[in-house]
Amino acid sequence: MLYFSRWKTLLIWCVIAISTLVAAPNFFSNDQLAKLPAWFPAKKVTLGLDLQGGSHIMLKIEPADIVKERLETIVGDVRNVLRQANFRYTGLTGTGQQIQVRITDVAQLAAARTALQPLLQPVSSGTFGGTIEEVTLEDAGEGLLRLDLTDAGIAYRLSGAVNQSIEVVRRRVDELGTTEPLIQRQGDDRIIVQVPGLQDPQRLKGLLNQTAKLSFHMVDTSVPVQEAVNGRPPAASEVLYSTDDPPVPYLVERQALVSGENLVDAQASFNQQNNEPVVTFRFDARGAQRFAQATQQNVGRPFAIVLDDQVISAPVIREPIIGGSGQISGNFSVEGANDLAVLLRAGALPATLTVVEERTVGPGLGADSIRAGVVASVIGAIAVAGFMFAFYGFFGLLANIALAANIIMILAVLSLIGSTLTLPGIAGIVLTMGMAVDSNVLIYERIREEVKSGRSLLPAIDSGFKRAFGTIVDANLTTLIAAVVLFYLGSGPVRGFAVTLAVGIVTTVFTAFTFTSWMFAMWVRRARPKQLPKGIRTGIFDGRGLPFMSIRKYTFALAAALSIASVIGFTGVGMNFGIDFRGGSIIELKARQGDADIGDIRARLDQLNLGEVQAQGFGSTQDVLVRVQAQDGGENAEQSALQRIRNDLEQDYEFRRVEVVGPAVSSELSFTATLGVGVALLFILIYIWVRFEWQFAVGAIIATMHDVILTMGLFVLTGIEFNLTSIAAILTIVGYSLNDTVVVYDRMRENLRRYKKMPLSELIDISINQTLSRTVLTSLTTMIALSALYIFGGEVIRSFTFAMLFGVAVGTFSSIYIAAPVLIAFRLRSDAFGTNEGAVSPGTSIAGSKRRT
């Protein structure tokens, strides 16, 4: 282990040098990077919305719109087929997913079925050349024919509509001139839009909410419009209202003269006569021909310009418009004209998009988050480095160098893969600082044990690295499993945390083992030491022989009582679920002038009849956090409530952060959160079962469940809000607790092979005492790093880090007093681990366990 050839040394330093070069841009501003040579990398870690401000919006395409449009299309096709073939029919209607028509002359029924066959042609699914039956035809008797839209056909149309919507949304967002927007599909019917650094999220939402179906219709003047409003309009016409306040009704023909599909360009401009903002448009050749023909035939008649079933304007055709271009006026503001031009250029959405989740962070709050995250990270790094140096001296210095290389490599990997760094992601880096030390501690403690057993220093160092490697891999893989589950089942900031944690685990194994062993090799080669450096002060637990298992009945009883109390509290009192799990809105406000008046905010919001509304101060006297319960009426009701709150408070308060979660999303998050914890525990159980014995797997799961239950009890007791990041905290606690447990188990497995006849309780005590220095030091370093994040990281992740601090303490307890005694309860057999001629008798003392085989 202590021999490194030149090419290995070169490879290690190449990795570190390249990582430093790739990570370097993150320490420069954009202006400074622009002045550097062209060969210098310029790719930086992308900051999440919570760090630089911006909007995260989840859109859901409405399947009902797809079904309605398809139904209307089939009805129209049936009407055209039957009319062209001169079939007499009656009762042509479409409801739900069914169209029915009665052929009045039964003798023509077979011919009518044949004529309708082209409407039943299957469509290509695009999967291995397969086809989908979209429409089926059924003879219901007595001349009645029924055409049904199949579920598979609707799903096919929905998938196509989502793909088309993504392209339309992308064009609309790109028109805003934003940088690096993220637009991607999620599931069968949803689209995620993330726009970092956006200054006006309301404008974005307005652009995405509109279908933008533009069409030109003749105004029907055959009957007065008021008569049509009060009575029944002509069959070929319908009543639409204008965008004026109050809206003006118009009777317009259903048949469009020209649709927005024929538009090739639209630009905001000004009317040369009155200097009012207008939108100029231009048709393609086909649209220009149809528009010219329509205006030639209807000179003197009004026609309506309709956008999403609303009349923008209804001018009178004074003369034929033959140039293929025109302008739309409608009392626009400059921004309104620009937005309409953007919508028309981007094209129409195939169906309505509903905002089901919205998370918006103002740029001011983003800057505060960056500052808090950097301060917490720096303080945490300094505290951990100081702690390691104080306990390990020269070895601590090597660990700190490895830790610095670790952080640089994390930044480099995040930069290369284009990952987004969120505030929970910074928490992942800080947590990695604490946990990365664990690998070094394992190595150093192993070296110290080898020296104490009588080996000379060089063989002790070599053996220490070899013996620690398996434990390091086992311990970190359990945390990696939790991170992978978080990534696949989480979303948004939780995914960012999972990526950062997973990358940190991989780089930790490299820096703590390969890089650290190289530094040891260089130290040995140059200094030629004969004994351990004097700085190591971790022997405070040596020779203590603490009888942990002698009180296992009391610790079991205490743990069981606390777990039962937690379960009773969870089922009886319940947790303070955040909007992620129950829906609703959270709004962070900051008074524009002076202190915030919380009483006034409550009074003003109570008048809006939004149900339960909570307003409370936090941070400074200018800051207020408002919580609004989920609204009846689904996602649209949530957005309507948010808009009413904005209208009422925006003049006096800055909206620094907005989170809106609809009921559909909240129920899905509840399911995926439960599934995530369950899947993580299952995979970890399988891994430990394969690596150890089934008793170890059961003990690890019982200890982990104990930690999860007590953490949930903490949320019940303190009333801390339980949200999506709390799930990330619990899964991290799962990983950390198992990390700790696996280290103890690994030593037990080793001792089971060494001491065949020793009583199990005594052997467990030996194993715990041998790893106690590592357990205490790792817990302390992790808690130091998390404490820095808790104190200096800001309000947004305070509950997140508080739960993890508690989890570290509980995880340390369970690895000693829960996971270990379970092995006794399940009668773990030592002969499962093979024979060893150095086995000792049952009477061997704890001190005697240090004798080598």
Side-chain angles (χ1 to χ4, degrees), residues 455 467 750 753-755 836-840 849-853:
R455 284 197 173 189
R467 288 176 174 271
E750 182 181 325
R753 291 184 178 129
R754 181 181 297 176
Y755 308 120
N836 191 301
E837 65 267 16
V840 298
S849 70
K850 300 183 181 66
R851 192 181 74 192
R852 295 201 53 79
T853 61

Side-chain angles (χ1 to χ4, degrees), residues 751-769:
N751 286 333
L752 280 165
R753 291 184 178 129
R754 181 181 297 176
Y755 308 120
K756 287 287 296 174
K757 298 180 180 181
M758 181 180 293
L760 189 57
S761 60
E762 189 176 337
L763 185 142
I764 290 174
D765 276 339
I766 291 174
S767 303
I768 294 174
N769 277 277

Side-chain angles (χ1 to χ4, degrees), residues 16-252:
I16 294 174
I18 292 172
S19 298
T20 303
L21 186 64
V22 173
N26 295 286
F27 301 98
F28 295 94
S29 67
N30 292 331
D31 293 337
Q32 290 171 329
L33 285 175
K35 299 175 183 178
L36 294 174
W39 57 264
F40 194 84
K43 192 172 183 180
K44 303 170 71 172
V45 175
T46 303
L47 297 180
L49 302 182
D50 52 358
L51 292 178
Q52 64 169 317
S55 287
H56 164 102
I57 295 176
M58 183 185 290
L59 302 164
K60 179 183 179 183
I61 197 164
E62 293 297 335
D65 289 0
I66 305 296
V67 175
K68 179 183 177 184
E69 183 173 347
R70 192 66 188 140
L71 203 69
E72 291 175 352
T73 301
I74 299 295
V75 168
D77 291 342
V78 170
R79 182 183 294 112
N80 291 336
V81 168
L82 296 180
R83 283 181 178 176
Q84 289 175 6
N86 293 320
F87 292 114
R88 298 180 62 185
Y89 66 91
T90 185
L92 176 59
T93 58
T95 56
Q97 294 180 210
Q98 189 177 84
I99 302 104
Q100 63 180 26
V101 60
R102 188 178 298 277
I103 307 299
T104 54
D105 186 355
V106 180
Q108 294 182 315
L109 186 61
R113 287 177 59 95
T114 303
L116 292 173
Q117 283 301 313
L119 302 182
L120 310 181
Q121 291 295 320
V123 293
S124 172
S125 67
T127 306
F128 307 111
T131 58
I132 292 174
E133 190 177 43
E134 191 178 7
V135 182
T136 60
L137 178 62
E138 174 192 1
D139 186 349
E142 299 182 358
L144 183 65
L145 297 177
R146 289 179 179 154
L147 292 88
D148 291 294
L149 302 180
T150 65
D151 292 337
I154 292 173
Y156 167 79
R157 294 285 173 177
L158 179 62
S159 178
V162 172
N163 291 334
Q164 182 182 344
S165 298
I166 288 174
E167 293 307 312
V168 174
V169 167
R170 180 173 283 110
R171 289 197 294 268
R172 292 184 184 181
V173 173
D174 288 344
E175 290 279 356
L176 291 175
T178 56
T179 57
E180 298 183 0
L182 171 67
I183 301 165
Q184 65 183 27
R185 180 174 185 159
Q186 184 174 75
D188 296 330
D189 58 357
R190 296 189 185 174
I191 302 169
I192 288 178
V193 182
Q194 290 185 351
V195 187
L198 185 67
Q199 300 293 322
D200 188 2
Q202 289 303 108
R203 185 184 178 198
L204 171 67
K205 199 163 59 171
L207 287 174
L208 299 181
N209 266 339
Q210 293 193 51
T211 309
K213 287 189 175 181
L214 181 74
S215 54
F216 298 81
H217 303 252
M218 293 307 303
V219 174
D220 188 348
T221 55
S222 61
V223 297
V225 64
Q226 202 58 45
E227 183 179 325
V229 172
N230 296 330
R232 185 174 181 181
S237 301
E238 62 181 336
V239 176
L240 298 178
Y241 290 85
S242 72
T243 56
D244 300 316
D245 188 16
V248 178
Y250 289 90
L251 183 63
V252 301

